[in-house]
């Protein structure tokens, strides 16, 4: 099991959630991001193997990104909460080292 963390961004206005299932969600807000400060945020999603994912707002699902990195921009508070809910409930795909 991965230790859960909320890591503040060193160079940006935001943070990264690391969940016990190993998945991560980065929520950023600032002039250098795809957002409107105070209204929307930029969100990045990746799995324990550092594969990046896109959030499909219409179907409320995740899709693997074909790019090395990917962010969803201009997401409102409800959309950010949906992403966090989806990611936090993902099952752990990695077996512990002793199994």
């Amino acid at each position: 099991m991965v230790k859960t963390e909320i890591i503040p961004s060193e160079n940006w206005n935001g943070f990264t959630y690391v969940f016990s299932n190993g998945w991560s969600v980065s929520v950023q807000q600032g002039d250098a991001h795809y957002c409107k400060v105070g209204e929307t945020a930029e969100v990045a999603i990746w799995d324990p193997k550092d594969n990046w994912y896109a959030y499909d707002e219409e179907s409320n699902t995740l899709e693997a990104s074909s790019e090395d990195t990917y962010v969803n921009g201009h997401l409102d508070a409800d959309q950010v909460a949906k992403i966090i809910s989806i990611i936090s409930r993902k099952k752990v795909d990695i077996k512990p080292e002793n199994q």
Side-chain angles (χ1 to χ4, degrees):
M1 181 175 280
V2 175
K3 177 184 169 192
T4 63
E5 298 180 84
I6 300 175
I7 304 167
S9 299
E10 291 183 25
N11 301 311
W12 309 106
N13 293 325
F15 49 88
T16 298
Y17 287 111
V18 180
F19 297 98
S20 60
N21 60 13
W23 284 70
S24 299
V25 174
S26 170
V27 179
Q28 305 293 320
Q29 191 180 67
D31 293 337
H33 297 95
Y34 297 107
C35 67
K36 184 171 182 184
V37 176
E39 292 183 25
T40 61
E42 176 186 285
V43 176
I45 306 159
W46 60 96
D47 68 17
K49 298 175 184 175
D50 290 329
N51 298 306
W52 289 62
Y53 289 79
Y55 172 66
D56 185 321
E57 299 167 41
E58 290 182 24
S59 65
N60 195 38
T61 59
L62 298 177
E63 298 176 4
S65 173
S66 59
E67 302 174 35
D68 290 339
T69 63
Y70 185 87
V71 297
N72 288 94
H74 304 282
L75 300 178
D76 65 25
D78 288 338
Q79 293 165 321
V80 173
K82 287 177 184 177
I83 290 170
I84 291 171
S85 177
I86 291 168
I87 298 304
S88 67
R89 293 182 287 130
K90 284 240 174 245
K91 292 184 180 175
V92 177
D93 295 332
I94 300 174
K95 292 182 180 180
E97 289 181 23
N98 61 355
Q99 289 187 0

